[in-house]
Amino acid sequence: MNQRMIRRALTAALAAALLTTLAAYADTVPADGDAVTPGNQTTIDLGNRSPGQVVTWPVSFRLTCAGLSHATPGATVTLDLTSTTVPGDGTVTATSATIGPVPADWTAASQGCPTPAPTIVSNDPSVVTLTMPTTSGPGTFSLLWSRSGATGLTGSSAMSFTVNVVGNTAPTLHLPSDMLVEATSPAGAVVTWSASATDLEDATPPTPTCAPASGSTFALGLTTVQCSVSDGGGMTATGSFLVSVEDTTIPTLVGMPADQHLTTSDPGGTTFAYTAPTATDLADAAPSVACAPASGSHIGVGTTTVTCTATDHTGNRASASFQVDVTYVAPVVWTASWGEPVGSAGSTLVANAGRTIPVKVEMFANGVEQTRGAALLSVAPCGGNASVTVPLAWGAEQWSRHLDTSVLGGPGCYIATASLDGNVAGSFRFDLRGSAPAAPSKATPAKTKP
């Protein structure tokens, strides 16, 4: 008798255990609060929230094949929020969601699930609306959805949201990164930027202030911009960033001289002159300019390169150059041959004051007789500066002029000089005496040529 009772008890326990196992291994409908992260995220951390703040959150569901008990093909599972636990005076609501209809090829009853197990995502999420409690501190919102429209389901469809409710929090500044700008004037550069702030409690974000302000002119070098912002509750946040204004633009040379071509009769070279250029620069009102060789320098025969360099106050340099070509030209030797009555070199013509002296001369450049040009005869007192200049005319293969001595200053010593195009060819001396006829000149009358 006792043995039969024991066998019956064992049979009943085994049947109960089997039913429990079959129920445990059935389709599930877990909640998922994060559609991006793989798997079902049934706990979401909302972080810090302010008292009374309203947060909305979408929660989706997945019908997942499991065990030997399955949802009926064609059925639609409806999920409704039925049970909640909230911290303090917080509240929570949620919209309904549906899954299905379950497809006709969904795993038949009493059959296991293939690998991987098939799933069906809810047609739309259940949108959860959570209102934070008005008191500060950590808390948890627990939500449970009921399922209707299908049998053969196990497990629960639940979610929890953890949160830390805090009082008024300081706003958050959003500042630009450190800035590097190019100077646009000697004063520096005008720099603009955008700074903003956010705050958990203020419906309208507070506006930060910065010094120097956006749009200010920043001098060359490094400047720290200090910014601050206060929210409606009096909480303040501060921050800063750097503005560096630099000058990397080279100066511009203005008025560079053109190449020069000079001649000299000095085999050692010549002195040359030029007007040095000036320079302009965005960030320097007066950049320096230096040229080498400098104007007024002595340079040799040949080609010399003159380099001019402009330097601004930050050391940026710009250079340019021009060339000076110096050609050696042997000097021209001018000579004169005087016709009678002028004597040979070193002799002196003697004449009475007021007499007209016939002057005849041939002029030579490096031994070549010159027959064209502006020929002049200049007469000045010996050792004096005052002079009389008259033109010479070409004819009969010589330059000639009748010199009227009455226009001179009276008796005395005079020097007559012949020149052609400004080049002095030669001179002779004559003495004017009183009005009585003078003795014949002892000068040699014959003319000589070089």
Side-chain angles (χ1 to χ4, degrees):
M1 181 67 179
N2 290 335
Q3 290 180 350
R4 283 201 297 268
M5 292 180 64
I6 293 173
R7 284 197 297 268
R8 289 176 182 173
L10 290 173
T11 302
L14 181 61
L18 180 60
L19 290 174
T20 301
T21 302
L22 291 174
Y25 289 96
D27 290 350
T28 60
V29 189
D32 185 11
D34 186 348
V36 176
T37 303
N40 298 307
Q41 314 304 315
T42 58
T43 300
I44 297 298
D45 184 6
L46 297 176
N48 292 333
R49 300 289 175 166
S50 59
Q53 183 179 357
V54 177
V55 178
T56 60
W57 203 275
V59 176
S60 60
F61 303 88
R62 288 182 174 85
L63 175 62
T64 304
C65 180
L68 300 177
S69 179
H70 308 291
T72 304
T76 298
V77 181
T78 300
L79 297 109
D80 295 301
L81 183 64
T82 57
S83 176
T84 62
T85 301
V86 299
D89 57 353
T91 61
V92 62
T93 61
T95 60
S96 298
T98 59
I99 302 175
V102 178
D105 59 354
W106 189 251
T107 304
S110 302
Q111 293 182 359
C113 299
T115 302
T119 61
I120 304 174
V121 181
S122 56
N123 300 321
D124 43 29
S126 174
V127 179
V128 177
T129 302
L130 306 105
T131 301
M132 302 298 112
T134 57
T135 57
S136 301
T140 301
F141 291 82
S142 299
L143 296 79
L144 179 65
W145 284 263
S146 65
R147 301 175 300 228
S148 60
T151 59
L153 304 175
T154 189
S156 64
S157 300
M159 275 290 303
S160 62
F161 295 88
T162 60
V163 67
N164 184 35
V165 179
V166 296
N168 184 37
T169 57
T172 301
L173 269 170
H174 304 285
L175 301 179
S177 302
D178 293 345
M179 305 176 69
L180 178 63
V181 297
E182 182 72 14
T184 57
S185 73
V190 175
V191 183
T192 60
W193 66 85
S194 177
S196 61
T198 55
D199 188 76
L200 290 175
E201 295 78 32
D202 287 8
T204 301
T207 301
T209 58
C210 298
S214 175
S216 300
T217 297
F218 284 69
L220 283 165
L222 196 64
T223 301
T224 300
V225 179
Q226 300 284 356
C227 299
S228 65
V229 64
S230 298
D231 64 12
M235 297 290 287
T236 299
T238 61
S240 64
F241 61 96
L242 299 175
V243 175
S244 178
V245 179
E246 62 178 6
D247 175 21
T248 61
T249 303
I250 63 173
T252 299
L253 282 163
V254 179
M256 276 295 297
D259 293 344
Q260 296 188 29
H261 301 278
L262 307 176
T263 59
T264 180
S265 59
D266 182 355
T270 186
T271 299
F272 78 116
Y274 59 90
T275 300
T278 58
T280 61
D281 186 77
L282 285 176
D284 187 350
S288 63
V289 178
C291 297
S295 178
S297 299
H298 186 88
I299 58 175
V301 174
T303 300
T304 298
T305 299
V306 181
T307 300
C308 298
T309 302
T311 306
D312 65 17
H313 56 189
T314 56
N316 298 310
R317 291 180 173 84
S319 297
S321 60
F322 65 96
Q323 291 185 331
V324 181
D325 294 324
V326 179
T327 302
Y328 171 72
V329 177
V332 177
V333 178
W334 287 86
T335 56
S337 177
W338 301 95
E340 59 182 32
V342 177
S344 61
S347 63
T348 301
L349 174 67
V350 179
N352 291 328
R355 175 184 173 185
T356 296
I357 302 174
V359 177
K360 294 169 283 187
V361 63
E362 293 178 88
M363 289 182 278
F364 303 86
N366 288 339
V368 178
E369 187 171 9
Q370 304 297 304
T371 62
R372 294 183 180 182
L376 299 175
L377 182 69
S378 299
V379 180
C382 294
N385 295 322
S387 63
V388 174
T389 300
V390 293
L392 295 173
W394 175 259
E397 299 183 356
Q398 60 186 357
W399 299 95
S400 61
R401 171 82 186 196
H402 285 84
L403 176 62
D404 182 3
T405 62
S406 64
V407 299
L408 302 178
C413 173
Y414 293 89
I415 300 295
T417 302
S419 63
L420 183 64
D421 294 331
N423 300 294
V424 174
S427 302
F428 71 93
R429 173 178 169 171
F430 65 94
D431 290 336
L432 294 181
R433 297 182 178 178
S435 56
S441 173
K442 296 181 181 179
T444 303
K447 68 178 181 179
T448 61
K449 293 186 179 181

